[in-house]
Amino acid sequence: MNVMNARLSVMMFLQFFIWGGWFVTLGTFLATTLAASGGQIGMAFATQSWGAILAPFVIGLIADRFFNAERILAVLHLLGAVLLYQLYRAADFSTFYPYVLSYMMVYMPTLALVNAVAFRQIKDPALEFSRIRVWGTVGWIVAGVVISFGFAWDSQQSIATGGLRNTFLMSAVASLLLGIYSFSLPNTAPLKSAAGASSLKQMLGVDALGLLKDRSYLVFFLASILICIPLAFYYQNANPFLAEIGVTNPTAKMAIGQVSEVLFMLLLPLFIHRFGIKIALLVGMAAWALRYVLFAFGNNDDQAFMLLVGIALHGVCYDFFFVSGQIYTDAKAPERFRSSAQGLITLATYGLGMLIGFWIAGRITDHFTSGAGHDWRSIWLFPAGFSVAVLLCFWATFKGRDRDKAVLPTAV
């Protein structure tokens, strides 16, 4: 790894350490420490979607047109550190919600920014990006290990005494570090418009919407929205599910998914080069359906292996759809608005799709909750069936023509 890639890898590590440091245990924290309902938990998770919806316009306005991406990244993470500290101090859901909404408005644009910084500094995105992005996954894993084994904040005793509150403080410190570090990142200046004077459409990043004129990309964009509906069930319910059925160290065990993500992210360039983008995306969607079936029929006794396999499938679920989608988007977009294009796919996935998904997940969870607890089998079978439906629609409508495969740089 050269020096430039090492610097970008540190950026990715901190970026996802921050998110993994509090987001995985959010549902458990809200249900136990703040006594939130399923609907309220869905509202809290949906804040990431509101932030993602705004991201393309924030990034299109400032990163592609006016200010260096690494400087915007620094400012947003410094502000994020302050907001995370306020989440650490929040005493109830009504106090917590405005801060988590504000934080996600600040954090979600940084997902597109770190991608934009990385893509601008590397020569072969299909080969190099996954090797840099994998350090973000390592950061997420380390956060989970620290929570479970470093401080045991997700133990039954610590959960009961509000120990998960400390995850926000840990993430605030990491956000402060990344904010300072971002000022040292490579210069990523705005690219000049080919036409000279920028129109309002260009300034707002709306020109990235031109990608949707391509039929293949439009199908991919719509599929990205739809597949994030079942994805929301995992983010919202997996940690509470594992904790409720008695799985020990659930946060660290969930990090098994990120370990598999590391492996499959390293294999992804070769897979795309060999089989093309359509097969990669289909494999990712199939993995979502399979993991939810495993969750539905697994338990913490003789079927515990099904839970572990379901968690381990995260590498296929995430890499083969979301990372492939980021590479596909970068390859499809003209250079002058690639940052806007990354913001656009962030809007489709973490924005529209998961906003709908968290709302549905909250309603489904409440519907199958009684005084005796959750009917987890029914809860998990819903996203399993939905994933299959999205897969079949995508398979029938996305045309993996040679020209769509050709836009991806070779990985060998």
Side-chain angles (χ1 to χ4, degrees):
M1 179 183 293
N2 59 41
V3 174
M4 178 64 69
N5 285 7
R7 294 171 66 189
L8 296 174
S9 297
V10 172
M11 171 190 73
M12 287 292 185
F13 177 93
L14 290 171
Q15 174 76 21
F16 287 89
F17 179 93
I18 294 166
W19 199 4
W22 66 275
F23 195 71
V24 174
T25 56
L26 177 61
T28 304
F29 168 77
L30 290 174
T32 56
T33 305
L34 300 189
S37 67
Q40 288 176 321
I41 294 172
M43 285 175 58
F45 275 97
T47 58
Q48 76 160 28
S49 302
W50 291 116
I53 288 170
L54 291 180
F57 306 103
V58 173
I59 304 308
L61 180 61
I62 57 181
D64 272 350
R65 304 298 168 190
F66 296 116
F67 301 105
N68 283 24
E70 81 282 358
R71 296 176 187 174
I72 304 167
L73 184 68
V75 171
L76 291 179
H77 276 298
L78 291 175
L79 179 57
V82 175
L83 292 170
L84 282 166
Y85 180 71
Q86 295 301 320
L87 290 172
Y88 163 73
R89 299 180 61 212
D92 51 45
F93 185 80
S94 62
T95 304
F96 183 91
Y97 182 76
Y99 285 121
V100 75
L101 177 61
S102 300
Y103 177 72
M104 284 312 224
M105 296 276 186
V106 168
Y107 181 82
M108 293 310 292
T110 66
L111 294 175
L113 283 170
V114 293
N115 286 345
V117 171
F119 279 125
R120 286 278 297 279
Q121 305 301 328
I122 57 182
K123 297 179 180 179
D124 188 346
L127 178 61
E128 296 180 77
F129 179 70
S130 60
R131 297 176 181 177
I132 294 169
R133 173 59 182 80
V134 74
W135 285 98
T137 303
V138 173
W140 191 290
I141 293 169
V142 171
V145 170
V146 169
I147 290 170
S148 286
F149 296 116
F151 298 103
W153 289 331
D154 63 347
S155 67
Q156 294 295 326
Q157 181 180 358
S158 187
I159 289 173
T161 58
L164 286 175
R165 185 181 299 277
N166 295 306
T167 61
F168 299 102
L169 183 60
M170 178 182 71
S171 295
V173 173
S175 187
L176 176 64
L177 290 175
L178 181 52
I180 296 170
Y181 178 75
S182 294
F183 284 113
S184 74
L185 289 170
N187 180 53
T188 309
L191 293 169
K192 293 182 179 180
S193 170
S198 297
S199 67
L200 179 61
K201 177 181 177 181
Q202 291 172 322
M203 289 172 62
L204 292 175
V206 179
D207 44 6
L209 292 173
L211 289 172
L212 302 182
K213 295 178 181 178
D214 183 289
R215 183 182 181 277
S216 293
Y217 195 83
L218 175 61
V219 171
F220 162 72
F221 183 82
L222 295 175
S224 296
I225 295 173
L226 293 174
I227 201 62
C228 280
I229 294 175
L231 168 61
F233 280 77
Y234 180 75
Y235 281 144
Q236 181 171 323
N237 288 332
N239 193 264
F241 163 64
L242 295 174
E244 184 175 306
I245 66 174
V247 174
T248 57
N249 301 313
T251 310
K253 284 188 169 69
M254 286 182 67
I256 293 172
Q258 277 65 48
V259 173
S260 76
E261 189 180 326
V262 172
L263 172 63
F264 286 106
M265 197 173 296
L266 295 175
L267 294 175
L268 182 61
L270 296 174
F271 189 94
I272 292 177
H273 179 65
R274 175 66 178 84
F275 297 104
I277 195 69
K278 180 174 182 177
I279 299 300
L281 296 171
L282 285 170
V283 168
M285 287 185 279
W288 281 112
L290 176 58
R291 90 177 315 178
Y292 289 136
V293 170
L294 291 171
F295 282 175
F297 293 97
N299 57 47
N300 195 34
D301 191 13
D302 58 323
Q303 302 297 332
F305 75 94
M306 296 176 69
L307 303 179
L308 296 178
V309 173
I311 293 171
L313 280 171
H314 184 75
V316 184
C317 295
Y318 187 85
D319 294 342
F320 278 69
F321 195 89
F322 292 97
V323 178
S324 292
Q326 291 166 0
I327 295 172
Y328 183 57
T329 297
D330 183 74
K332 280 283 193 179
E335 185 180 41
R336 63 188 177 87
F337 55 82
R338 281 180 177 166
S339 295
S340 300
Q342 290 297 327
L344 179 66
I345 197 59
T346 299
L347 180 151
T349 54
Y350 292 108
L352 296 175
M354 294 190 71
L355 179 64
I356 300 168
F358 286 129
W359 182 85
I360 293 174
R363 298 305 180 274
I364 294 294
T365 302
D366 279 342
H367 179 74
F368 290 108
T369 301
S370 64
H374 296 84
D375 177 2
W376 287 114
R377 177 167 297 180
S378 297
I379 291 171
W380 291 125
L381 286 177
F382 181 90
F386 197 96
S387 298
V388 171
V390 176
L391 183 153
L392 293 175
C393 291
F394 182 79
W395 174 77
T397 57
F398 185 88
K399 304 300 181 185
R401 295 184 290 270
D402 290 340
R403 65 179 181 87
D404 291 322
K405 184 177 177 179
V407 298
L408 298 171
T410 60
V412 293

